[in-house]
Amino acid sequence: MSALALTTALSAAVAVAAPAFAAEAPDAAAAGAPDAGDAAIVVTARRSSERLQDVPASIQAVAGEQLQKLAITNVEEISKIAPGLSLVSSGTSTAIVLRGVTWQPGSGTPATPIYINQVPFDPQQTLKSLFDVGQIEVLRGPQGTTRGAPSISGAVTIAYRKPDLTQFGGYVQALYGEANHLNVQGAINAPIIKDVLAIRIAGNLENSENTRIYSVNSTVKPKTEDRTIRATVLFKPTNTVTIQAMYQRRKTLLRWYDQVEGTGSPGFAALGIPANFNGPALSLKDRASVQDGAYVNREHTDLLTVNAAWQVLGHTLSYNFGRQWDRAAPTLISADPTNILPGFEPYNSTSIAALPKWRTHELRLSSERNANRPFDYDIGWFSKHSDGPLGFTSPIFLPGAFGAPFQSVPGQVTTPNPRYVLTANTKIGIGQAFDSFYGNVRVHLGEKTELSGGVAFVKDRVPVQLDVSTSAASIAYANFLPAAFGGCPAPGFLPASPVYGPAYCEVSLPAGTFPSEVHNDKYTDTLYNFSISHKFTNDVMVYATTGTSFRTGLPAINNTGLPSDLLVPKPETATSYEIGVKTSFARKFRINAAVFQLNYKNQLTTFEGVNYLSNLPGQGLKTTSIAFYRNIDARVRGFELELGANPIENLSLNANITYSQTKSKGGLVPCNSATPLTPANPINFCPSVAGQVLNTTAPFQAVVNGSYSVPLSESLSGYFRFNVNVQGSNPNYGNFRTVGGTFKTAQSYALTDLFAGLSGSKGWELGVYAKNVFNTQVELGRVLTPNTIFPLFAAPSGYDVVRTTTPREIGVTLRFAFGSR
């Protein structure tokens, strides 16, 4: 479509108005802690400040004060109070799930964008610590005609606290819990020119023992070390101009192990391999690993946001800018989580080949509400340009690397002979040039009924280049075995091994460079969103909405050796339908409910842990990484229910219940089947029958929490708080567990957090907490992990890599605040 055609179409586009930027990011002071009184809950889901109960969409608002009350210091814990939303922050294992839709790094455009100060950033680098937060909003349903980044399942917006232009103040808060978990955060707010210019400096320090999974074969403990500093400046030279800029620098060290469960290897007597050579029998409750070395990830990420607004001629012209810099050191990824090579830890290394670029711009013109005009409107342009060359270095241990083939047993040789190590170097240049032109209108049919609609034209270009090279190496074969059993392929015609003598022949593999795989796919689409809402009274509203979305995928990075036609998924499209009702009664009770359906065409679905045959020299059997995605048509159905009550003074009770089930509409999906893998059949596909559940998290989830305070004197009160997170059973872990391709069901469970303490009227609070107070240990996921490191050992590992719930943590909290907090 030409630029002129886009402009012409845009001028006719319709949807929702958005007032001044000054109202886009309410502070916790304005939002307060969510309770049953809807007047206290202000959200910016439609880019303007509105009562939660007035917005025709399913939204959950979490004030910064509520995070503090529940001792939440990292983004992952938002899942505890926002059911249906799952946030996992763990390097390449980062994942976001909302309304049953999963996104992981390497899959392409995020399915659930994460906004910071109205700017969408890379979730893998921004889902980290939480501090000095004004408000978090979980927006469920289609986005993209009021926000630049399209999404069908929803979005998460995080607004940091803004500087106060009038009052000096700040706070300091500390938490210390089990496993050396220390979190210290604080902020100072200083008006420089009263009512015109102010600055806020905030910082966070966090230390912990990461996942608290310890290795039986290493004395090195897991570790998280996070240091973040943030500076925000607010400038308001006139009543009509507002400029806010934030710069944040974060440095993080992550060290962790994969948990395993199983009996350990049964060994292989014929080859002299003893049982349990790789470790003892381990249960889920052991929370243990058998790795000789930990994963190591060092991150350094800087974020810049600029938000500006100018009110002029009955309109607001706003501009949002975002910039992200990643300067991470190489990440060391264990290639041997089941300890097939005792005494030696092989690592794959992931590194940033050059400083990635990540820039977003958004320019929006919005009409201001006019009582004489029955409609409001806005038009805008959003652009995101990014690129980031990544490098992967993978050692491939060929026969001979760990002693004479079929004679050396595991652990006998712990330093590989470099002659028999082939190194695969993979460089992937990943980029995106995304532009969205959108328009919205909101029509008021009297005071009770509202029609709104929006159209967005999206253009997406995804340049990707894959380059693979391999080093020279040799393979040692036994002359005393037939070729069919791993012996020399041409005895008497191949040279003897200079390392292992005439009993072995040797084949040399030259260094090689594979032809570059280049993609520059271009996509365009038109998205829409329409809704109607009607207020029967000021406290009862019903609404219906429908919308579409579009998302591009990326080639399945870090699955080198698969043919290119298996690496590139098709774009994903979806249509959403939702009906909801919002009610509140005398500011004492609130009931919000919604039912929805998402129809997916070519849904990007993950198939981690599927065996495939690499076409790289000497590489052989491998398993797909978390970034292996294929398309499948699917349907999501579900509901959301929110209940809030303040039945008596000082008592607040809330419940949120969600259900989202994703089912296949039928097709073929990658699997681990009994069909042998060959160069002509490098990966197996199995039927995904219509109705097969594809959820990676439990379809049913619920959260119940409450708070009760007791005045003890004029300046002192006590409090008790609780939070219960219920996860239903999940018939699908999200990956194939067995050789036959069947799924395993995850059991239901509940996690209970308790809090108690004292608070003073002068801004201090002292408390104790117990997270997962009953120490509930449940298996959340399991990956079939075959021996792809050194196949000649021939013995099964006896372990599976698993994920379990976080163990109990008991600790204390202390907070002191003064002035503008």
Side-chain angles (χ1 to χ4, degrees), residues 183-235:
N183 179 277
V184 179
Q185 58 178 271
I188 291 290
N189 185 92
I192 298 174
I193 303 175
K194 188 177 180 181
D195 298 326
V196 175
L197 179 65
I199 186 170
R200 187 178 185 91
I201 306 293
N204 179 77
L205 177 153
E206 181 151 18
N207 291 338
S208 72
E209 293 181 7
N210 201 279
T211 58
R212 296 166 67 178
I213 303 295
Y214 307 92
S215 177
V216 298
N217 292 315
S218 175
T219 59
V220 177
K221 289 186 176 182
K223 184 177 185 179
T224 294
E225 213 176 67
D226 185 273
R227 308 288 185 268
T228 309
I229 187 73
R230 178 190 308 143
T232 307
V233 176
L234 179 60
F235 181 47

Side-chain angles (χ1 to χ4, degrees), residues 679-704:
N681 179 48
I683 192 169
N684 284 320
F685 286 85
C686 298
S688 174
V689 297
Q692 181 182 25
V693 177
L694 300 175
N695 288 66
T696 59
T697 57
F700 176 84
Q701 300 180 35
V703 168
V704 179

Side-chain angles (χ1 to χ4, degrees), residues 124-146:
Q124 187 173 355
Q125 300 301 330
T126 53
L127 288 177
K128 303 298 177 183
S129 58
L130 276 179
F131 66 99
D132 206 39
V133 172
Q135 184 158 295
I136 297 174
E137 295 176 18
V138 181
L139 315 178
R140 294 178 168 93
Q143 311 291 314
T145 63
T146 55

